[in-house]
Amino acid sequence: FCSQQEHAYPADELMPLTCRGRVRGQEPSRGDVDDALGKFSLTLIDTLDTLVVLNKTKEFEEAVKKVIKDVNLDNDIVVSVFETNIRVLGGLLGGHSVAIMLKEKGEYMQWYNGELLHMAKELGYKLLPAFNTTSGLPYPRVNLKFGVRHPEARTGTETDTCTACAGTLILEFAALSRFTGTSIFEEYARKALDFIWEKRQRSSNLVGVTINIHTGDWVRKDSGVGAGIDSYYEYLLKAYVLLGDDSFLERFNTHYDAIMRYISQPPLLLDVHIHKPMLNARTWMDSLLAFFPGLQVLKGDIRPAIETHEMLYQVIKKHNFLPEAFTTDFRVHWAQHPLRPEFAESTYFLYKATGDPYYLEVGKTLIENLNKYARVPCGFAAMKDVRTGSHEDRMDSFFLAEMFKYLYLLFADKEDMIFDIEDYIFTTEAHLLPLWLSTTNQTISKKNTTTEYTELDDSNFDWTCPNTQILFPNDPMFAQSIREPLKNVVDKSCPRGISRAEESLGSGPKPPLRARDFMASNPEHLEILKKMGVSLIHLKDGRVQLVQHAVQAASSLDAEDGLRFMQEMIELSSQQQKEQQLPPRAVQIVSHPFFGRVVLTAGPAQFGMDLSKHKAGTRGFVATIKPYNGCSEITNPEAVKEKIALMQRGQCMFAEKARNVQKAGAIGGIVIDDNEGSSSDTAPLFQMAGDGKNTDDITIPMLFLFNKEGNIILDAIREYEAVEVLLSDKAKDRATIFKGKMIPNYIIDSNLEMENMDQKSSENDSHKPNSEEAPSESQDAGAVGEEPKGGGESSAVGDPDPLSPASTDSARVSVADEDPHGPESTEAGAPEPACTPGDSQLQEQNTQTEPNSKAHWDSKVQPMESILADWNEDIEAFEMMEKDEL
């Protein structure tokens, strides 16, 4: 928080690697992710009530004054209605809730006169134009200054929105109406919820992911509890808790019964089709579903909550963080992790429900992983790839709004809190709304609008909160007995058995054709496909494309067989691609003053040493070769011998470069892209292909870096002549890097700590997959040719520098794991200023800069000087600090 205020304010978010603020329009667009940014000091507003939870009341008071004084909500900018509601409107209302609570206590906020509520009401009116649709569902975006349909609004043409986007408004809008006495906000939010309920699929009682805001037709007809739907279910139950309207509980229970009937496959939660809920829609899960165990606790259904939470924890122990998406056999599907708080949220709720100290250990693991793998000098950086440990220059506002709040509450005793947290309900962004709103300004009559309500199992419709004595009848081993069978579910996952659809067929007829048996040249197979409504298209490149149209199938049963065949074929194709791919590699700068904190994600090669089979990697000092393109005999072999050679891409084959530097005595090679300014932000990461000849003679490891990432090493050479790097399959912690070597005493304080780090490192490694077993998004694995550069001639066998996509989207510079072994904890009760070393719950050191200095990575503005200055001060802080709150 202090780094955000020092380096980023008044920008919406902190960029923790470059120690500056993210201002929309001044940074490369990230697509829909940027719709959360509205030039309204997002992180500050989102963090207000977190400060009070952490007992930082003075800092809260100053932050409120900042918001009132500096924040402008009348900006000509298009923002997400959903994100602005949960983060900004929710942040203002949460701040107002705790501000009036503190004022009543009589010590703080005595000057406060509802200013945050006035701002919330202003923002509420700015969001209302988005609801100008016949259905009542809001447009997904709105211009804060011009609304939706104004000529200058630059929005209002969208036709679709996600279910969660339209169904996650009722808590904030109803609270705004109850606080102000203005009923219009609650009315609009209720109308949107009513419409979604009426459009649910009546036979399955499920809702789709995306809906047309004008017609109400489902655009995406898959259904789950993750991205796109998650908080819709959450807000139905919490709306009942906050507002006391029975219809919300009836709707939630109806949906919940469908979820447990179709989506829940313990311990998994898999998306299904709303019209054919016995068929899985995909074979992977996204990380947002980690909130669901917490919601199940609120519902009172503890057993499945424990099961799913334990499965997720096993995935975290394998990858250190929860990947954005992972497959049913727990492999990485999307490798990013933007420091999402949903798993910490569920951990907190499970501990509240069970009192089981196991969940305190889970929280401790989360904190240790954050400090070890995500901590950087200016904050905590999102993980770009959980397999390599590379970072992204991103720290979303929800990290401060939710993660620290839930972790603090997990460990806090009642005497640690200055107010009773049980008097509030959490929004989906963890903002606090007081429960007394249920009896205040009830301008909406509690009318039960739930129609065609289906009578279900009575036990699913308990109207009271669960009694813990019934849930846990004097059995402290209850939760453990549920977790125990799942301990090895990730590391020893077995092939999935038959699906429920197959199981429902019993001993009936087997599918007429399985994907693994299909041959495009077999006429009988083609006839079966036609009967199932599957058509086959021959592409120009020799591949075949399969398309299914259910209406063209001979019967509904044949159409179902066709859908199952397509799912099998997608899985089979994806698996084949994964087996052909190599995962990304890591280049880690380990020399002074970096000591392994800078990690560059690199593209691998299809030749040379396979770093995944050489866990120690290749370590050595780097040297620039002459000629720099490496396309002829090296003229400075004395400088290259026993070192890792740096060379430029272009003018000849990658394999030729490798042979030349290997002949000169190099122990490894790094090829740097010659396309000025290329980076992982704008281009996919490549793996270097061979030259069509036998490459067994190449034995050194070769890696590829884009221009931006390569310049990090070149800048380091200019600053420090001797730069040592480690080429490996993934980033190593410093205990591994410096094992058996002299270690600076400000990195590791004692041999005992060194041993502890080794032990933790080995434990972490035991949970990580082999590189070959960590697939990501599927891509074509064939080598791609490239035109000659600089006048070089093309080979008869292949084009110069043939490239093939690697198994990750991109690479960028990151600052690797901070030393997890800080000084010992501060004595309880010792008062400290807000922004000093040792103040934050997770802070190990504080970056201090001169008032006029800024840390930049931009190579045009002396990138290394400013960032190294920060690191040097970090090191001084390490030496000076004797105690730390963790």
Side-chain angles (χ1 to χ4, degrees), residues 412-463:
D413 294 322
K414 195 165 186 178
E415 54 268 23
D416 297 323
M417 302 293 297
I418 61 173
F419 64 99
D420 190 352
I421 198 71
E422 305 296 340
D423 292 338
Y424 297 82
I425 192 168
F426 292 106
T427 69
T428 194
E429 191 78 1
H431 292 307
L432 302 175
L433 298 178
L435 293 176
W436 52 257
L437 287 175
S438 61
T439 58
T440 303
N441 290 328
Q442 296 185 43
T443 54
I444 308 291
S445 61
K446 290 198 291 184
K447 181 177 63 177
N448 192 326
T449 58
T450 301
T451 59
E452 299 185 25
Y453 169 65
T454 307
E455 285 296 335
L456 303 167
D457 181 3
D458 288 342
S459 65
N460 197 46
F461 289 82
D462 294 333
W463 292 89

Side-chain angles (χ1 to χ4, degrees), residues 226-257:
I229 303 180
D230 48 0
S231 49
Y232 163 68
Y233 294 134
E234 178 185 1
Y235 269 38
L236 283 179
L237 182 55
K238 290 185 176 179
Y240 165 68
V241 176
L242 181 65
L243 307 177
D245 191 331
D246 295 347
S247 67
F248 291 129
L249 182 61
E250 290 177 359
R251 295 180 191 183
F252 172 80
N253 279 330
T254 302
H255 284 313
Y256 187 77
D257 178 80

Side-chain angles (χ1 to χ4, degrees), residues 462-476:
D462 294 333
W463 292 89
T464 58
C465 295
N467 186 319
T468 56
Q469 293 302 315
I470 297 175
L471 289 172
F472 311 105
N474 300 317
D475 183 6

Side-chain angles (χ1 to χ4, degrees), residues 58-124:
K58 291 182 180 178
E59 293 78 4
F60 169 74
E61 192 158 2
E62 291 304 313
V64 171
K65 291 178 180 177
K66 265 188 178 182
V67 170
I68 296 170
K69 175 176 173 288
D70 299 339
V71 172
N72 176 27
L73 298 173
D74 194 38
N75 299 316
D76 179 12
I77 193 167
V78 176
V79 296
S80 162
V81 173
F82 168 75
E83 296 290 356
T84 304
N85 172 65
I86 65 172
R87 299 201 204 188
V88 186
L89 183 58
L92 292 170
L93 292 172
H96 173 70
S97 298
V98 293
I100 58 178
M101 177 271 297
L102 290 174
K103 185 176 182 179
E104 288 177 0
K105 287 181 176 293
E107 184 176 354
Y108 296 99
M109 303 298 293
Q110 295 306 299
W111 54 270
Y112 181 71
N113 196 29
E115 289 85 353
L116 294 179
L117 181 59
H118 299 320
M119 295 179 68
K121 188 174 182 180
E122 177 190 354
L123 181 59

Side-chain angles (χ1 to χ4, degrees), residues 385 387-389 583-588 601-602 610-618 703 726-732 765 768-772:
D385 192 315
R387 297 161 302 178
T388 64
R585 307 292 185 232
V587 176
Q588 197 165 3
T601 304
D610 184 354
L611 291 170
S612 68
K613 297 178 181 178
H614 295 76
K615 295 300 181 182
T618 297
L703 298 180
L726 173 65
L727 311 184
S728 60
D729 63 329
K730 54 191 172 185
K732 303 290 191 290
D765 288 342
K768 296 178 184 177
N770 292 330
S771 298
E772 297 167 335

Side-chain angles (χ1 to χ4, degrees), residues 505-527:
L505 293 174
S507 58
K510 294 182 178 180
L513 180 63
R514 305 303 297 264
R516 62 175 178 267
D517 303 324
F518 171 67
M519 294 180 63
S521 59
N522 188 322
E524 294 182 9
H525 290 183
L526 297 180
E527 189 62 32

Side-chain angles (χ1 to χ4, degrees), residues 91 218 275 319 344 388 489 499 524 531 585 656 661 709 814 841 854:
W218 292 110
H275 296 290
H319 301 296
T388 64
V489 68
S499 67
E524 294 182 9
K531 187 179 179 182
R585 307 292 185 232
E656 184 178 347
V661 298
E709 286 74 31
S814 66
Q841 273 289 310
K854 272 282 185 181

